[in-house]
């Protein structure tokens, strides 16, 4: 991926070079790309598309959020194609980053889903995502990213930097990331950086200088979470972890190797909904770090089965409090899960539905509230020691893969040597 930021930085010339291999059993005649920016007031304008050097005419679908690229010849199983897409990004300006992390707000350029993405094959026919769920469903890829930008900007990015040089008032950077399901970048003139080494992982926290206390608190939380989850689920999968404070409508959002945390939570003297900002900052940071195992490492269809990454991540956040502070703090977080479910009067709505089949209120209450309570019920049914071993084996067995509910159940049944149909029928399935 190549990005050339203009002045203003909201206008970006970009290019994607993709090597795509057909890993399916049938031939492929077209490849769909998901263009998230076209679901926002911004825009991803495609200038040209070539396949193996031949220009092709692509077609837009679904409010220009899907680009269907025809192949000059059918791509058989095991065959690969080289795709080049030249495009232009127009980034919308907003008050609190309400467009899913793609926008310019408060001096921060937030670039979520800023390139044409090939969804996982199982998601090629998905409709556009709803606004209150996650937006992507991808296989893992390897990324090599080049970015040219005004010299005053500071880049917050995941992965490993491979090169940097300055020329004529501009700075050019190259970094690599992978395996990863998608890519996020943030840039600002105001970013200051704090860092901490946890084992072989460098954790970097980007925020305004005036938000230094919040940045340090997020950094400390991330370090403790990496230690806790590394012991319980397996070693953190990347050499770096980047935290970035961004004006953002939600509290947080996860990407491989990098997480967004809402800037307002860094004002430690505030409270939101009666909850002090430091508590929300810590729980949000721990939750988003948990997604590095449940979503980044072990993938799932976040639109059809969102519980598979959100419920284990909420449960992991409870484990973070247990490991760092002990039972009393963990009990407090567990009550917050029950209170989420209380928002729908503890309705026994299945946790395994697609995002679009919940109302926004139900989605938060069921997937984020009832979902982790199911994980707790599963732990009690299997026995704590067996369950702990299961989760570690599960992340190892499915690393960089995609799972569904049936595979999750089968893995749990192998671990406990027991039948779990009744439990899954009660909690997960309609």
């Amino acid at each position: 991926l190549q990005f050339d930021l203009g002045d203003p930085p909201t206008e970006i010339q970009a290019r994607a070079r993709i090597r795509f291999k057909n890993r399916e059993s049938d031939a492929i005649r077209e490849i769909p790309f998901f263009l998230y920016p076209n679901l926002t007031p911004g825009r991803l304008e495609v200038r040209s598309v070539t396949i193996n050097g031949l220009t092709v005419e692509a077609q837009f679908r679904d409010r220009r959020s899907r680009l269907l690229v025809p192949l000059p010849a059918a791509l058989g199983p095991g065959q690969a194609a080289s795709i080049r897409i030249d495009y232009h990004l127009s980034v919308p300006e907003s008050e609190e980053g309400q467009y899913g992390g793609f926008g310019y707000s408060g001096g921060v350029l937030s670039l979520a889903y800023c390139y044409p993405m090939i969804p996982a094959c199982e998601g090629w026919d998905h409709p556009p995502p709803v606004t209150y769920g996650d937006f992507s469903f991808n296989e893992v890829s390897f990324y090599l990213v080049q970015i040219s930008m005004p010299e005053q900007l500071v880049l917050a990015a995941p992965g490993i930097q491979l090169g940097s040089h300055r020329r004529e008032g501009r700075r050019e950077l190259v970094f690599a990331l992978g395996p990863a399901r998608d890519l996020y970048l943030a840039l600002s003139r105001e970013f200051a950086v704090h860092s901490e080494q946890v084992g072989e992982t460098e954790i970097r926290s980007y925020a305004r200088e005036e938000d230094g206390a919040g940045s340090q608190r997020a950094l400390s939380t991330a370090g403790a979470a990496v230690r806790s989850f590394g012991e319980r689920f397996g070693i953190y999968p990347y050499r770096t972890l980047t935290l970035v404070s961004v004006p953002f409508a939600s509290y947080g959002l996860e990407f491989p190797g990098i997480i967004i945390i809402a800037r307002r939570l860094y004002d430690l003297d505030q409270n939101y909904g009666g909850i002090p900002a430091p508590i929300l900052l810590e729980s949000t940071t721990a939750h988003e770090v948990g997604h590095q195992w449940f979503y980044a490492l072990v993938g799932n269809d976040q639109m059809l089965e969102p519980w598979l990454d959100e419920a284990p991540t909420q449960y992991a956040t409870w484990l973070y409090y247990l490991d760092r502070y002990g039972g009393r703090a963990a009990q407090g977080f567990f009550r917050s899960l029950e209170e989420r479910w209380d928002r729908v009067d503890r309705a026994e709505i299945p946790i395994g539905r697609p995002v679009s089949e919940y109302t926004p209120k139900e989605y938060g209450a069921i997937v984020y509230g009832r979902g982790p309570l199911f994980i707790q019920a599963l732990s009690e049914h299997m026995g704590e020691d067996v369950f702990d071993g299961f989760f570690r084996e599960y992340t190892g067995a499915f690393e960089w893969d995609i799972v569904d509910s049936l595979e999750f159940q089968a893995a749990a049944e192998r671990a406990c040597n027991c039948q779990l149909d009744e439990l899954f029928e009660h909690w997960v399935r309609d």
Side-chain angles (χ1 to χ4, degrees):
L1 296 171
Q2 294 174 269
F3 299 99
D4 188 349
L5 274 65
D7 189 11
T10 51
E11 299 298 325
I12 303 171
Q13 301 295 334
R15 175 177 297 161
R17 292 188 176 96
I18 304 121
R19 182 180 183 275
F20 173 82
K21 184 176 182 179
N22 180 9
R23 296 193 293 164
E24 301 303 311
S25 58
D26 297 322
I28 293 173
R29 298 187 179 277
E30 64 180 10
I31 301 173
F33 287 81
F34 176 50
L35 309 181
Y36 171 77
N38 290 344
L39 293 178
T40 77
R43 189 174 180 83
L44 191 161
E45 181 182 348
V46 174
R47 300 286 173 81
S48 65
V49 181
T50 62
I51 306 286
N52 297 331
L54 299 175
T55 300
V56 298
E57 292 295 326
Q59 296 183 335
F60 290 97
R61 296 285 190 274
D62 298 332
R63 292 177 288 157
R64 301 182 70 84
S65 69
R66 189 188 305 270
L67 182 74
L68 299 181
V69 175
L71 294 164
L75 194 68
Q79 293 183 327
S82 295
I83 307 161
R84 171 174 157 171
I85 301 178
D86 287 28
Y87 64 101
H88 179 86
L89 283 172
S90 295
V91 184
E93 297 190 39
S94 63
E95 292 297 321
E96 283 295 335
Q98 61 261 47
Y99 306 123
F102 181 73
Y104 184 72
S105 178
V108 177
L109 184 67
S110 184
L111 298 177
Y113 321 112
C114 58
Y115 59 100
M117 297 188 295
I118 302 175
C121 191
E122 299 91 333
W124 281 16
D125 295 324
H126 282 3
V130 296
T131 57
Y132 48 88
D134 287 309
F135 298 107
S136 65
F137 171 36
N138 302 332
E139 298 275 9
V140 294
S141 302
F142 291 92
Y143 292 79
L144 182 64
V145 183
Q146 298 172 290
I147 183 164
S148 174
M149 61 191 188
E151 189 174 22
Q152 302 89 343
L153 288 176
V154 177
L155 171 67
I160 302 294
Q161 184 171 302
L162 302 179
S164 172
H165 69 273
R166 290 177 169 84
R167 181 174 59 191
E168 298 177 355
R170 296 182 65 80
R171 189 178 180 200
E172 297 183 1
L173 297 169
V174 179
F175 67 91
L177 172 69
R181 301 187 189 278
D182 44 29
L183 173 75
Y184 173 80
L185 309 171
L187 302 101
S188 176
R189 287 178 168 81
E190 300 180 13
F191 279 153
V193 188
H194 299 90
S195 64
E196 175 185 344
Q197 193 75 22
V198 176
E200 295 186 358
T201 301
E202 180 190 9
I203 305 177
R204 308 174 294 212
S205 181
Y206 290 76
R208 297 179 302 183
E209 193 72 55
E210 64 202 73
D211 293 328
S215 181
Q216 290 280 15
R217 188 177 186 94
L219 183 65
S220 174
T221 298
V226 165
R227 294 185 190 96
S228 170
F229 303 154
E231 291 178 3
R232 289 182 174 275
F233 311 131
I235 296 172
Y236 172 74
Y238 300 110
R239 293 294 298 273
T240 63
L241 173 60
T242 301
L243 324 175
V244 55
S245 166
V246 173
F248 186 53
S250 300
Y251 286 152
L253 187 61
E254 75 279 1
F255 296 90
I258 185 169
I259 62 178
I260 299 175
I261 306 170
R263 176 189 283 178
R264 63 188 183 280
L265 301 184
Y266 286 65
D267 186 347
L268 302 181
D269 293 327
Q270 297 298 316
N271 73 80
Y272 300 93
I275 304 174
I279 292 176
L280 289 172
L281 176 60
E282 184 167 11
S283 63
T284 299
T285 303
H287 175 94
E288 304 305 347
V289 172
H291 273 302
Q292 302 304 311
W293 283 263
F294 305 109
Y295 149 73
L297 185 64
V298 180
N300 62 285
D301 189 331
Q302 296 173 285
M303 286 169 272
L304 286 189
E305 295 188 305
W307 81 270
L308 278 168
D309 64 289
E310 294 298 351
T313 297
Q314 285 284 73
Y315 185 80
T317 308
W318 173 74
L319 292 175
Y320 159 85
Y321 281 100
L322 183 66
D323 290 345
R324 190 174 190 188
Y325 300 114
R328 185 174 181 182
Q331 186 179 21
F333 183 78
F334 195 84
R335 280 198 302 271
S336 75
L337 303 177
E338 294 175 319
E339 289 166 359
R340 275 184 175 269
W341 192 14
D342 286 339
R343 296 174 190 174
V344 292
D345 299 322
R346 301 216 170 193
E348 293 188 352
I349 300 171
I351 67 171
R353 292 178 177 175
V355 178
S356 60
E357 292 187 14
Y358 299 107
T359 66
K361 182 179 180 180
E362 289 172 342
Y363 181 62
I366 299 302
V367 175
Y368 290 80
R370 190 174 190 238
L373 298 180
F374 162 67
I375 303 294
Q376 174 64 18
L378 183 62
S379 173
E380 293 173 354
H381 186 92
M382 295 173 67
E384 184 175 335
D385 290 342
V386 173
F387 178 81
D388 288 347
F390 152 66
F391 245 153
R392 190 176 183 91
E393 292 172 9
Y394 169 76
T395 55
F398 292 101
E399 65 178 11
W400 311 126
D401 207 344
I402 290 171
V403 299
D404 59 26
S405 293
L406 293 177
E407 289 170 316
F408 182 95
Q409 179 180 341
E413 289 180 338
R414 287 193 297 270
C416 69
N417 192 27
C418 63
Q419 292 295 317
L420 298 171
D421 277 336
E422 185 175 344
L423 197 67
F424 274 75
E425 290 292 339
H426 176 72
W427 290 86
V428 180
R429 293 188 278 270
D430 280 302

